[in-house]
Every structure is written in C-alpha cells, then in structure tokens.
C-alpha cells in the first residue's frame, strides 16, 4: 500500500490499480458533497449487502442513514418515497416510543448505581435496537429485557462478523467465505434476521388487507383506527402503501426495513455512548446539562413535541461536540462513475473518495485546540464564519442523512432521562479507550463508567 499526501487530502493505493482518496479539508469536502455530481455509492465491499441489501459496508455517520448507499436510480426513487415518513408531525409520535423504551433503560441502570465500574455501551445499544424496531416495524424484540434472544444475538453477531470479514482479505471472495466457519455463522444469522423481518411484513400486509375489507363493510370507524395505527407504523406503512401501488417490490420493502434497522441502531448507540463518556470526564459540563434538564422537567408538558425538545440547546451543543471528537463512523465513501476533478486533483473513473470525519473534525486550521471537549464551539456566535463543511456528522448535499432530526430527538431524550436520574463518571482516559474503526467507532474493550443516583 503506497501513500501520497497533498494539502487537505491523502491518496492510498490499495495495490497497483485501486486508489483511495481521503479528504480532511472543508473546501474539498464541499466539492465532493456539494457539487461533485459524478459520484455513486457503489463500493467494493459488496459482501455487506446480504443483510441490508444495497447499502454500503462503511456506514454513514450517526444514525438512520436511510438508503444512502443504494445505486443512483434506486436511491432517488426510494428517497422520494420515504421522505414524508420523517415529517415533523410524524416525529412527534416517535417521541412516545423513545420515552417508553428509555424508561426501561433507566430501570436497568438503577441496578448499577453504586455498584462500581461497568461497560455502559451494551445497555445503550439494546435500547436503540428496541427503539428502531418499534419505529420501523412496530413489534419490539424486547432487546433490553431479552438480550439473549436469537434475534438480538443475531444483530450483534452480524455486525461483528462483517467487521471481521472487512479486515480479512482472504475472506472477501463469497465462495471462500461461505465455506468458512464465520461465513456459515453469518448466513445462519441472516436467516434469523430476515425471518423476523419477513414475518412482520407478512403480518402487516395481511392486517392491512383485513382492515380494508373491514372498512368497506363497517364504514369510517375502522378507517379512523387504521389512521391511528398508520401514525405509529409510519415507516413500514409508507413502504407497504408503495408495495400495494406497485412502486416497490416485496423484496424492496425488506431491503429498506433492514437498511433502517442496520444503520439506525448501532450508530445512534455510539453517539449517545460517546456523549455520556465525555460528560463523565467533564463534570463541569455535566453540571450545565443537569441544570438544563432540571428546568425542562420542571415545566414539561404531558405530551412532548418536536418543538418542546428545542429547549435542550446546550445539550445539542454537547451532542455536536461529542460527534466532532468521536464521530460514530470515522469515514464514509463514494465511488466515481466517470473521470472528474476534486479541486485541482484529477480522479479517474472508479476511484474511491472518502471523507475522514475523524481528521476533518480535528483540523487545527478550523478547530483551535482540537482535542479539547468544548461544547461552546457550537454557540451561534462561534459558528459564524466557520466553513459549513468543516463539521459533517450527517454528511451534506442531496445524499445527506434523511433521518437526522429523528436521530437528534432520540439522543436528546435518552440523555435527558439518564441525566435526570444519574450522575455519571468515567476515569477511563482517551488513550485507554483504544479506539477501533469498525462499522462504527468503537472502544476496544468498552466504555466504563460509574453511576450514582441524583437526589
């Protein structure tokens, strides 16, 4: 592997014929994401496709990177189809799901109060898995209560097996991988995951057909019930409507649900976990979040809305600064479909172009003292004049994250409820985390914290 450095980018040659261009300068990121049109999202690591089909192995940063990695024509059609699912009126209904599941998390964390150090990341991951299952399909696998269920184990194992294969070139050929022990285990996990998704989809198709018959027989009362159900299952319901209209195949419905599941729980869990870790390392900043959380709950309405959560202004700065220091996914890629230029640099057709968020978010030309945790960087007066492509947790341009508002709502709610009940502390240093760039940015061993109950 050869390396070639220029200002703001680095070219790695993976063998003699495959160049990988990594970007860590805002101006070049703007060219790539804002106006660099001859790009698609195909990627050489196609072996990631069997679970969330037509998605990229290297997931886009943060959560809910819905259909960002399918081919151009399919992406455009499905993006247009799914966009209404994330309207703010529907997001209001998802808030209830987040609160219900976070209440379970709080009850589980109470068992760890004053019990010493523990790894908090698995708790957050099971929470986000429950939330994404309910918001995408309706039924919950009850991951927080049944962490040993076959479905939950399959979700965890698939991610680990994909990461292991990505680091093992000898396992990249399908014929070899399918004969290997990890390949056989991977395919067994896929059967479990697809079986669960197929069962939910088939049940919903049958239920929708029965409801339509009932509406025709009994009139508007059943139609009202159908609309109530539709709000709670907005994502799957939108896909099933398109399926009934012939706009998407039955297989396409499963692809989109699997994409939502795969890209929606792990990345969000990482974002929440890193924020809790950094707050545990900085009690002064944690205190400021406490004060905001206490003010909010002192006057919160019975039914929360998207507008209500805008009160968490400082918490939003904390979440953004957490993603700047520890982005959920440290890089993401596109592949050129024709010869083109990235600034002054020529890129031949078939080149991979990668934005390294880990490097971009720590560029000292943009971020003074880039390794310091300072949420005030995102105060309105401090973001003036900063290049808009210096911070890309949700990417930018036409393929930006379609679910970024839902992701931020979920993270705010989880942090608010956790910090309403607990003080969190971590003595684990940044170096001790031993960060690993897997499917997401993970610690090698875990994120270890201690909890005490707030009075």
């Amino acid at each position: 592997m050869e390396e070639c450095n220029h200002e703001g980018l680095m070219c790695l040659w993976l063998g003699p014929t495959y160049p990988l261009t990594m970007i860590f300068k805002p101006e070049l990121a703007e060219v790539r994401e804002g106006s660099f049109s001859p790009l698609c999202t195909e990627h050489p690591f196609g072996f990631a496709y069997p679970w969330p089909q037509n998605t990229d192995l290297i997931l886009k940063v943060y959560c809910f990177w819905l259909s960002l990695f399918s081919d151009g024509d399919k992406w455009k059609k499905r993006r247009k189809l799914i966009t209404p699912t994330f309207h703010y009126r529907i997001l209001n209904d998802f808030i209830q799901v987040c609160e219900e599941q976070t209440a379970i998390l709080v009850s589980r964390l109470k068992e760890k109060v004053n019990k010493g150090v523990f790894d908090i990341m698995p708790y957050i991951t099971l929470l986000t898995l429950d939330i994404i299952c309910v918001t995408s399909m309706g039924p919950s696998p009850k991951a927080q209560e049944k962490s040993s269920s076959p479905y939950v184990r399959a979700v965890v194992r698939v991610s680990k097996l994909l990461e292991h294969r990505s680091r093992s070139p000898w396992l990249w050929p399908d014929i070899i991988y399918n004969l290997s022990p990890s390949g056989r285990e991977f395919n067994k996990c896929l059967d479990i995951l697809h079986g669960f998704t197929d069962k939910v989809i088939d049940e919903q198709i049958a239920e929708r057909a029965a409801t339509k018959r009932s509406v025709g027989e009994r009139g508007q009362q059943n139609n009202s019930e159908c609309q109530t159900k539709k709000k709670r299952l907005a994502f799957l319901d939108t896909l099933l409507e398109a399926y009934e209209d012939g706009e998407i195949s039955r297989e396409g419905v499963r692809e989109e649900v699997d994409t939502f599941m795969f890209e929606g729980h792990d990345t969000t869990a990482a974002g929440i976990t890193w924020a809790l870790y950094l707050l545990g390392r900085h009690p002064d900043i944690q205190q400021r979040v406490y004060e905001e959380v206490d003010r909010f709950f002192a006057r919160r309405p019975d039914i929360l809305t998207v507008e209500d959560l805008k009160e968490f202004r400082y918490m939003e700065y904390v979440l953004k600064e957490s993603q700047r220091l520890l982005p959920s996914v440290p890089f993401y890629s596109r592949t050129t479909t024709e010869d083109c230029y990235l600034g002054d640099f020529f890129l031949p057709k078939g080149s991979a172009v990668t934005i390294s968020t880990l490097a971009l978010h720590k560029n000292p030309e943009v971020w003074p003292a880039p390794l310091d945790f300072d949420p005030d960087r995102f105060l309105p007066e401090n973001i003036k004049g900063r290049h808009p492509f210096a911070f890309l947790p949700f990417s930018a341009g036409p393929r930006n994250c379609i679910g970024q508002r839902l992701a931020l709502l979920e993270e705010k709610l989880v942090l608010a409820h956790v910090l309403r009940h607990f003080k969190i502390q971590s003595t684990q240093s940044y170096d001790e985390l031993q960060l690993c760039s897997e499917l997401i940015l993970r610690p090698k061993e875990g994120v270890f914290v201690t909890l005490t109950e707030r009075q």
Side-chain angles (χ1 to χ4, degrees):
M1 178 170 64
E2 290 189 21
E3 177 181 318
C4 181
N5 288 297
H6 296 279
E7 185 180 359
L9 62 79
M10 178 174 63
C11 182
L12 301 174
W13 284 87
L14 308 179
T17 60
Y18 191 76
L20 174 65
T21 302
M22 301 192 72
I23 298 170
F24 46 89
K25 188 175 182 179
E27 291 78 10
L28 295 177
E30 181 176 18
V31 173
R32 203 206 80 158
E33 293 292 78
S35 59
F36 198 17
S37 59
L39 287 173
C40 72
T41 53
E42 62 186 28
H43 195 274
F45 299 122
F47 51 76
Y49 289 6
W51 180 19
Q53 294 186 14
N54 296 292
T55 60
D56 195 297
L57 171 66
I58 301 176
L59 300 180
K60 214 166 173 335
V61 71
Y62 235 17
C63 91
F64 305 104
W65 309 132
L66 190 59
S67 299
L68 289 170
F69 297 103
S70 52
D71 62 80
D73 291 338
K74 181 182 288 187
W75 172 82
K76 290 178 182 178
K77 182 178 179 180
R78 294 189 182 178
R79 174 86 174 209
K80 182 177 180 181
L81 175 69
I82 296 169
T83 294
T85 304
F86 295 92
H87 191 277
Y88 73 92
R89 288 196 299 267
I90 295 175
L91 295 183
N92 287 335
D93 297 309
F94 291 157
I95 289 175
Q96 181 182 352
V97 175
C98 293
E99 289 211 291
E100 290 170 355
Q101 297 300 326
T102 304
I104 298 173
L105 170 70
V106 169
S107 67
R108 296 189 71 222
L109 291 180
K110 285 184 177 179
E111 299 172 2
K112 308 301 292 186
V113 169
N114 298 324
K115 296 292 179 63
V117 173
F118 73 101
D119 181 9
I120 197 171
M121 196 166 195
Y123 290 81
I124 305 300
T125 301
L126 294 177
L127 161 73
T128 58
L129 180 57
D130 272 338
I131 291 174
I132 201 67
C133 279
V134 175
T135 54
S136 62
M137 293 185 289
S140 169
K142 299 186 183 300
Q144 297 187 86
E145 302 168 63
K146 301 177 181 178
S147 59
S148 61
S149 74
Y151 181 82
V152 174
R153 290 203 307 268
V155 171
V156 174
R157 286 301 295 161
V158 159
S159 295
K160 291 184 178 298
L161 290 168
L162 282 175
E163 184 275 327
H164 174 257
R165 189 181 182 189
S166 72
R167 293 187 288 105
S168 309
W170 56 92
L171 294 177
W172 289 0
D174 287 339
I175 190 170
I176 295 176
Y177 187 65
N178 290 334
L179 293 173
S180 70
S182 59
R184 292 194 294 270
E185 182 184 3
F186 180 79
N187 288 322
K188 288 180 181 179
C189 290
L190 286 187
D191 289 340
I192 294 172
L193 296 174
H194 286 161
F196 180 80
T197 305
D198 285 335
K199 181 175 183 290
V200 172
I201 292 173
D202 290 340
E203 288 175 351
Q204 290 301 316
I205 290 174
E207 182 178 330
R208 287 171 62 85
T211 301
K212 287 184 177 180
R213 289 194 300 269
S214 182
V215 168
E217 295 171 1
R218 300 184 183 180
Q220 293 301 314
Q221 180 179 356
N222 297 83
N223 188 54
S224 175
E225 293 174 0
C226 180
Q227 292 299 319
T228 300
K229 183 74 171 178
K230 180 178 177 180
K231 279 189 175 183
R232 190 66 179 260
L233 295 179
F235 179 70
L236 180 54
D237 224 42
T238 297
L239 293 172
L240 292 179
E241 284 183 2
Y243 167 70
E244 293 166 356
D245 294 339
E247 299 178 56
I248 189 172
S249 66
R250 168 66 174 71
E251 184 67 20
V253 172
R254 192 183 75 180
E255 286 178 3
E256 294 305 310
V257 172
D258 285 344
T259 298
F260 196 85
M261 289 289 303
F262 185 56
E263 299 178 4
H265 85 278
D266 230 7
T267 47
T268 312
I272 295 169
T273 302
W274 291 132
L276 288 171
Y277 163 75
L278 288 166
L279 288 172
R281 295 281 297 166
H282 298 85
D284 54 330
I285 295 174
Q286 188 173 172
Q287 181 61 39
R288 292 179 65 180
V289 179
Y290 286 151
E291 293 167 3
E292 187 174 71
V293 167
D294 291 344
R295 287 195 302 270
F296 177 84
F297 281 104
R299 59 177 186 272
R300 68 156 282 178
D302 292 333
I303 300 177
L304 289 182
T305 67
V306 174
E307 290 298 315
D308 295 324
L309 296 184
K310 289 181 179 179
E311 294 184 29
F312 289 122
R313 291 184 179 87
Y314 187 69
M315 185 188 293
E316 185 167 328
Y317 305 152
V318 168
L319 287 167
K320 288 180 177 180
E321 177 68 351
S322 299
Q323 280 295 310
R324 186 194 67 80
L325 270 177
L326 296 165
S328 296
V329 175
F331 54 89
Y332 48 96
S333 300
R334 300 279 193 267
T335 303
T336 58
T337 56
E338 60 185 64
D339 293 345
C340 49
Y341 281 87
L342 182 62
D344 296 329
F345 301 99
F346 173 75
L347 295 178
K349 177 182 177 180
S351 299
V353 185
T354 296
I355 287 183
S356 171
T357 50
L358 264 178
L360 181 72
H361 292 176
K362 296 182 180 67
N363 188 329
E365 295 180 5
V366 180
W367 309 98
L371 297 182
D372 291 349
F373 181 57
D374 181 11
D376 286 347
R377 297 179 197 270
F378 290 93
L379 288 169
E381 59 269 25
N382 291 334
I383 64 175
K384 289 180 180 178
R386 184 180 297 155
H387 197 288
F389 283 76
F391 179 63
L392 296 178
F394 295 103
S395 186
R399 285 182 182 261
N400 68 341
C401 172
I402 191 174
Q404 58 186 275
R405 287 192 296 176
L406 181 55
L408 189 57
L409 289 177
E410 181 177 347
E411 295 192 348
K412 282 183 176 181
L413 275 170
V414 174
L415 281 183
H417 281 282
V418 170
L419 296 177
R420 184 188 186 191
H421 290 88
F422 309 108
K423 291 184 178 181
I424 187 167
Q425 182 181 14
S426 177
T427 58
Q428 194 176 15
S429 71
Y430 191 84
D431 291 336
E432 289 172 337
L433 288 173
Q434 299 183 60
L435 299 176
C436 304
S437 296
E438 298 181 356
L439 294 181
I440 60 171
L441 187 67
R442 296 182 186 275
K444 185 176 181 180
E445 300 296 336
V447 177
F448 294 98
V449 301
T450 57
L451 295 180
T452 55
E453 197 158 10
R454 292 186 64 200
Q455 300 300 319

